[in-house]
């Protein structure tokens, strides 16, 4: 039973570019959340998707956008990259519901030059 | 705004000792609290989830307690092993999002 899978594992971009990160949820899960983890910090919530709609959003600018597909997989898009966007981006999946545990992938390490 | 604090930030213990990791949060209106383990450069592995109505959860050598009214949780790891070396993160659930602490970085010395 495959867990949460994310691609790519590493990515290097330059300032001003755009990036797309991908996430496939664990089998049986229909809800996907994205988090940003800077070095030495805890993950920060970006947004959550369910039924192909953004359900909640954290304190991130509009440069961060997402999408969920009918098969529950999800993309995170970041436009106009800044040096401060360098981080580990984590995807978490769960069944819909506030008491469902979230399961995380290994993340995408994004480096901005 | 929910704030989650983990103390101590880092600790080293000799193999065989029990580990005690603390987590505090400012807003007691949570649905649940989840403890995770993170190895360097890796994602998060869920260890235990405690619902807001529960006082503790146990899994093998791990035991986590929750005192929602005082905004505290403690993770106990019995008889620590070198393989327990990692960063341990606690996260509280409020609606759809998890709010994390910065983690307890643990080194178990053989």
């Amino acid at each position: 039973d495959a867990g949460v899978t994310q691609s790519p594992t590493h990515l290097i971009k330059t300032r001003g570019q755009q990036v797309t990160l991908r996430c496939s949820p664990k089998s049986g899960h229909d809800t996907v959340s994205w988090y940003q983890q800077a070095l030495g910090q805890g993950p920060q919530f970006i947004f959550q998707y369910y039924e192909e709609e953004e359900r909640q959003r954290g304190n991130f600018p509009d440069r961060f956008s997402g999408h969920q597909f009918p098969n529950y997989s999800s993309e995170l898009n970041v436009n106009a990259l800044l040096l401060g966007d360098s981080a580990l981006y984590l995807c978490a999946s769960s069944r819909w519901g506030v008491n469902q545990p979230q399961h995380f992938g290994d993340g995408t390490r994004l480096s901005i030059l | 705004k929910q704030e989650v604090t983990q103390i101590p930030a880092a600790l080293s213990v000799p193999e065989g000792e029990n580990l005690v990791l603390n987590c505090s949060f400012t807003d007691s209106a949570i649905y649940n609290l989840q403890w995770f383990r993170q190895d360097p450069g890796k994602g998060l592995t869920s260890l235990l989830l405690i619902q807001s109505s529960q006082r503790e959860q146990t899994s093998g050598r791990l035991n986590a307690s929750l005192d929602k009214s005082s905004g505290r949780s403690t993770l106990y790891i019995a008889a620590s092993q070198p393989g327990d070396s990692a960063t341990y993160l606690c996260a509280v659930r409020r609606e759809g999002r998890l709010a994390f602490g910065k983690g307890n970085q643990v080194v178990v010395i053989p």
Side-chain angles (χ1 to χ4, degrees):
Chain A
D1 178 21
V4 180
T5 58
Q6 292 186 243
S7 63
T9 54
H10 294 87
L11 206 50
I12 300 174
K13 292 286 188 178
T14 57
R15 282 177 295 175
Q17 284 189 312
Q18 177 265 342
V19 68
T20 297
L21 310 182
R22 295 176 175 83
C23 172
S24 292
K26 182 179 167 74
S27 178
H29 289 181
D30 54 12
T31 304
V32 173
S33 301
W34 288 92
Y35 293 81
Q36 179 195 66
Q37 187 179 23
L39 204 59
Q41 303 294 314
Q44 297 291 317
F45 174 77
I46 304 175
F47 41 53
Q48 180 190 62
Y49 277 85
Y50 172 66
E51 291 186 333
E52 302 178 50
E53 290 186 11
E54 182 182 294
R55 299 292 175 156
Q56 286 213 355
R57 188 178 183 92
N59 189 26
F60 280 80
D62 292 344
R63 297 187 298 108
F64 289 77
S65 63
H67 189 79
Q68 186 180 34
F69 299 93
N71 66 353
Y72 309 120
S73 67
S74 176
E75 287 181 350
L76 164 65
N77 300 293
V78 187
N79 295 323
L81 288 166
L82 304 173
L83 292 177
D85 295 332
S86 295
L88 180 67
Y89 288 85
L90 295 163
C91 171
S93 75
S94 67
R95 294 191 175 124
W96 175 252
V98 294
N99 287 322
Q100 298 295 325
Q102 296 198 5
H103 297 260
F104 284 76
D106 280 341
T108 294
R109 171 71 62 186
L110 176 62
S111 299
I112 311 300
L113 302 179
Chain B
K1 178 189 172 186
Q2 178 73 268
E3 292 188 6
V4 181
T5 304
Q6 292 188 244
I7 296 172
L11 71 159
S12 297
V13 298
E15 182 178 359
E17 267 199 17
N18 296 332
L19 275 164
V20 180
L21 307 177
N22 296 300
C23 171
S24 62
F25 47 95
T26 54
D27 184 352
S28 62
I30 63 170
Y31 290 114
N32 55 57
L33 183 146
Q34 204 166 347
W35 280 93
F36 294 90
R37 169 186 171 136
Q38 186 172 33
D39 293 294
K42 296 292 188 180
L44 278 61
T45 300
S46 180
L47 298 174
L48 291 167
L49 181 145
I50 313 174
Q51 303 293 356
S52 62
S53 59
Q54 297 176 316
R55 299 283 293 183
E56 66 176 339
Q57 276 286 343
T58 299
S59 175
R61 293 185 296 113
L62 306 179
N63 173 275
S65 65
L66 173 64
D67 185 343
K68 200 174 76 159
S69 61
S70 66
R72 293 180 184 175
S73 176
T74 301
L75 177 67
Y76 299 89
I77 304 177
S80 61
Q81 303 169 358
D84 295 328
S85 298
T87 297
Y88 293 83
L89 294 150
C90 80
V92 295
R93 180 80 177 257
R94 173 75 173 162
E95 296 178 348
R97 67 187 68 191
L98 291 175
F100 285 85
K102 291 185 180 180
N104 305 108
Q105 188 175 10
V106 172
V107 174
V108 179
I109 303 166

